[in-house]
Amino acid sequence: MKEYDVVVIGAGTGGYVAAIRAAQLGLTVAVVEKQKALGGTCLIWGCIPTKALLEHAHALKVVQQAKEWGVTGAQGPIGIDMAQVHARKDRIVGGLTKGVEFLFRKNKIDWIKGTARLTGNGGVPGTIDVFEGDKQTLRARKEIIVATGSAPRSVPGVTIDRKRIITSDEAIHLPEVPKSIAVLGSGAVGVEFASIFRRFGSDVTIFELLPRLVPVEDEAVSAELEKSFRKNGITSHTGAKVTKAVTTGDAVEIEAHLADGTTKSLRADYLLVATGRGPVTAGLEIERLGLQMEKGYITVDAMYRTSVPGISAIGDVITVRGEQAHPQLAHVSSAEGIVAAERIAGRETRPINYDHVPGCTYCEPEIGSVGLTEREARERGYDVRIGTFPFGVLARAKMAGEIEGFVKIVADKRYDEVLGVHMIGLRSTELVAEATLALRLESTVEELIRTIHAHPTMAEAVGEAAHAAHGAAIHL
Ligand SMILES: Cc1cc2nc3c(=O)[nH]c(=O)nc-3n(C[C@H](O)[C@H](O)[C@H](O)COP(=O)(O)OP(=O)(O)OC[C@H]3O[C@@H](n4cnc5c(N)ncnc54)[C@H](O)[C@@H]3O)c2cc1C
């Protein structure tokens, strides 16, 4: 039996970051991972391959607009070579997963290849059996960290067959550009793929059960995205319930009840089911150990301790006691891994403030947001002040030819505190970093106004939105 201070199950962005942080703090660490590569959902099926595809979509857009940019030599039919797209995307994924292997070697972390099962009866030390691959028993002297992540899930009435009714796992590998694709769900995954396939040339139809696209975002952001999607030829049905999806040959027959009471029938090459992801705990035998669970997720406290001593859990597989919703995001899993590792190593660390988690959606136009939406701020009883500034006024946006979108600041009138910042448009996924720091430092709107924003940048919109929140933007 091999002994370590910490044994992590799962090498996603939660597990591998927890392992590195624990090793940096002097602990001996092993990570059990059943996939052939390290990095989990984010690196292999999620953030990285999807954003690589989006960069291809962007490259295609620039070439399509070659004439406007004065680029010569790009005349003739412009298309996309999916074999080349996948080869480049796979090279990026491969390079990054190898990078995690390098970091493991650098930090003397053992990668145990195989599938883990929790054995023993909880408590410290805990034991894990690896029952496939490198079969063996591992003992964790201090703690086991469960970081087994999530997997796609469907909704009642829609059975994923992974051929025509597919998930994001298949969508990242489609060998050809579909003539048509329907997307079920308009969260980040749904709208990102809608943007990719539309730019590649597919007919795209989105079905969203809730009354608006990207329902977790501020309502103004949803409205702007709907407007932009419409302009770009993406059909969106909100308040629509898909009741039937059947694969017939090389297509899917879809039926949906629309918001206006009518029924819509649609035949598409594929139906991409993007209705969220469920926790992965099968085979771990956590039920036998009596870990407290909620709707399949492992319940943890603010320091990621489960109800069983010696077992922690982080990332997509958890629900945090006292928090309304736990965001399934790579950077959240990593931040949790760092907190858990520091606590296990006896370092002083602090709970995460989930109100300060930035969210990025890389659709076209892209979205960055952090903190409370206007509605949430009002529901929490704040006397709210709003400042909005459109990107279209900015020199930098005009130069880039990307004038859609805005920055919207939600602030509290009483103390002038910035409560949330919501943006849609060029570079929003980068600009949200400033907003995140502002929330972290409990900044006021006044402080954002006094922060000098370089010119010409998209970031000027943040300063201008702050001015707007105090009465008037300079350039409006
Ligand atoms: C299409 C898509 C796009 C996304 N884009 C973004 C984005 O742009 N930004 C962002 O922040 N997030 C994004 N996400 C979400 C992000 O990928 C996840 O939040 C993140 O990967 C969660 O990390 P994790 O470590 O909790 O779990 P995972 O990454 O799911 O890792 C869990 C690992 O555990 C392993 N495992 C499971 N059970 C066992 C077992 N019994 N034994 C051994 N190994 C096991 C799995 O093989 C897996 O490697 C995206 C997700 C998808 C699907």
Side-chain angles (χ1 to χ4, degrees):
M1 185 188 302
K2 273 200 190 161
E3 280 204 5
Y4 297 88
D5 292 325
V6 177
V7 179
V8 182
I9 308 178
T13 39
Y16 89 70
V17 170
I20 292 172
R21 189 71 188 124
Q24 285 174 340
L25 296 174
L27 303 179
T28 56
V29 185
V31 179
V32 188
E33 171 55 59
K34 63 184 178 183
Q35 294 296 328
K36 290 192 182 72
L38 301 174
T41 303
C42 171
L43 270 68
I44 304 171
W45 305 280
C47 328
I48 304 305
T50 51
K51 268 90 259 181
L53 290 175
L54 275 153
E55 292 296 347
H56 282 275
H58 180 71
L60 179 61
K61 178 179 171 178
V62 173
V63 180
Q64 282 169 339
Q65 297 170 347
K67 208 168 157 206
E68 192 185 328
W69 288 101
V71 176
T72 55
Q75 283 76 27
I78 292 162
I80 189 104
D81 172 356
M82 288 308 281
Q84 166 65 9
V85 167
H86 288 308
R88 184 175 178 278
K89 175 201 74 185
D90 294 344
R91 262 199 319 277
I92 294 163
V93 169
L96 290 170
T97 58
K98 288 278 174 224
V100 181
E101 281 184 43
F102 163 77
L103 291 173
F104 273 23
R105 282 195 301 277
K106 181 182 161 200
N107 289 285
K108 299 189 173 44
I109 297 164
D110 284 348
W111 171 11
I112 313 291
K113 296 178 179 138
T115 304
R117 176 172 55 199
L118 296 161
T119 48
N121 295 311
V124 183
T127 52
I128 287 175
D129 271 356
V130 181
F131 63 92
E132 281 163 7
D134 303 345
K135 280 186 192 171
Q136 54 187 297
T137 299
L138 308 173
R139 187 198 287 262
R141 279 187 291 263
K142 284 183 178 289
E143 204 126 355
I144 293 167
I145 302 179
V146 180
T148 47
S150 62
R153 68 171 171 212
S154 190
V155 289
V158 179
T159 307
I160 294 164
D161 62 17
R162 296 194 181 265
K163 292 189 174 67
R164 292 284 156 184
I165 304 179
I166 60 173
T167 72
S168 57
D169 292 358
E170 292 75 46
I172 55 166
H173 296 302
L174 286 188
E176 79 290 328
V177 175
K179 223 175 133 340
S180 57
I181 184 162
V183 180
L184 178 47
S186 74
V189 173
V191 295
E192 286 180 8
F193 277 107
S195 297
I196 293 168
F197 286 119
R198 182 67 198 130
R199 179 58 60 190
F200 284 175
S202 306
D203 279 339
V204 179
T205 306
I206 300 177
F207 294 100
E208 167 59 55
L209 184 64
L210 293 171
R212 57 194 174 94
L213 297 181
V214 284
V216 299
E217 299 294 342
D218 192 274
E219 285 166 34
V221 168
S222 297
E224 183 75 5
L225 185 66
E226 274 182 55
K227 195 172 83 184
S228 176
F229 271 10
R230 209 175 310 123
K231 199 181 86 195
N232 289 317
I234 295 175
T235 307
S236 307
H237 296 291
T238 51
K241 185 174 185 183
V242 170
T243 49
K244 197 176 117 191
V246 184
T247 298
T248 51
D250 54 4
V252 189
E253 307 279 354
I254 301 153
E255 242 174 56
H257 283 312
L258 302 188
D260 62 6
T262 59
T263 299
K264 163 110 186 146
S265 300
L266 181 79
R267 192 176 156 85
D269 289 358
Y270 292 95
L271 173 65
L272 168 61
V273 180
T275 47
R277 297 172 63 85
V280 173
T281 55
L284 283 176
E285 297 197 5
I286 38 185
E287 298 80 3
R288 188 183 55 76
L289 286 171
L291 260 73
Q292 194 187 330
M293 313 275 285
E294 207 182 308
K295 295 183 181 152
Y297 292 90
I298 302 173
T299 309
V300 295
D301 66 14
M303 286 283 127
Y304 308 105
R305 287 175 285 239
T306 69
S307 58
V308 173
I311 303 179
S312 293
I314 56 169
D316 281 9
V317 75
I318 64 166
T319 177
V320 183
R321 206 172 294 130
E323 294 293 334
Q324 284 177 339
H326 178 258
Q328 289 183 321
L329 291 168
H331 44 280
V332 171
S333 69
S334 299
E336 292 169 349
I338 289 171
V339 171
E342 290 178 345
R343 192 245 313 145
I344 294 166
R347 283 289 182 99
E348 196 192 328
T349 189
R350 294 195 184 265
I352 289 170
N353 182 342
Y354 287 93
D355 280 347
H356 294 173
V357 171
C360 293
T361 302
Y362 301 76
C363 47
E364 190 191 340
E366 61 181 42
I367 299 169
S369 58
V370 62
L372 304 184
T373 62
E374 181 176 349
R375 178 188 285 268
E376 285 166 345
R378 292 192 195 287
E379 280 168 2
R380 290 200 196 176
Y382 286 104
D383 190 3
V384 169
R385 77 160 36 127
I386 301 294
T388 303
F389 188 81
F391 283 130
V393 177
L394 291 181
R396 190 65 198 265
K398 288 181 198 288
M399 288 182 265
E402 305 266 358
I403 54 167
E404 288 179 297
F406 54 80
V407 173
K408 172 175 174 177
I409 291 179
V410 179
D412 164 40
K413 261 192 201 155
R414 189 158 173 216
Y415 297 111
D416 198 35
E417 187 178 351
V418 180
L419 302 172
V421 183
H422 308 275
M423 44 189 115
I424 177 165
L426 183 68
R427 311 246 196 283
S428 290
T429 58
E430 303 291 339
L431 298 188
V432 75
E434 178 187 2
T436 306
L437 187 64
L439 262 71
R440 166 89 191 152
L441 300 178
E442 298 180 357
S443 298
T444 58
V445 174
E446 180 69 22
E447 281 161 332
L448 277 183
I449 289 174
R450 301 292 159 203
T451 302
I452 298 174
H453 292 86
H455 175 75
T457 59
M458 297 299 287
E460 288 173 271
V462 177
E464 284 280 30
H467 274 288
H470 271 199
I474 303 293
H475 290 90
L476 267 189

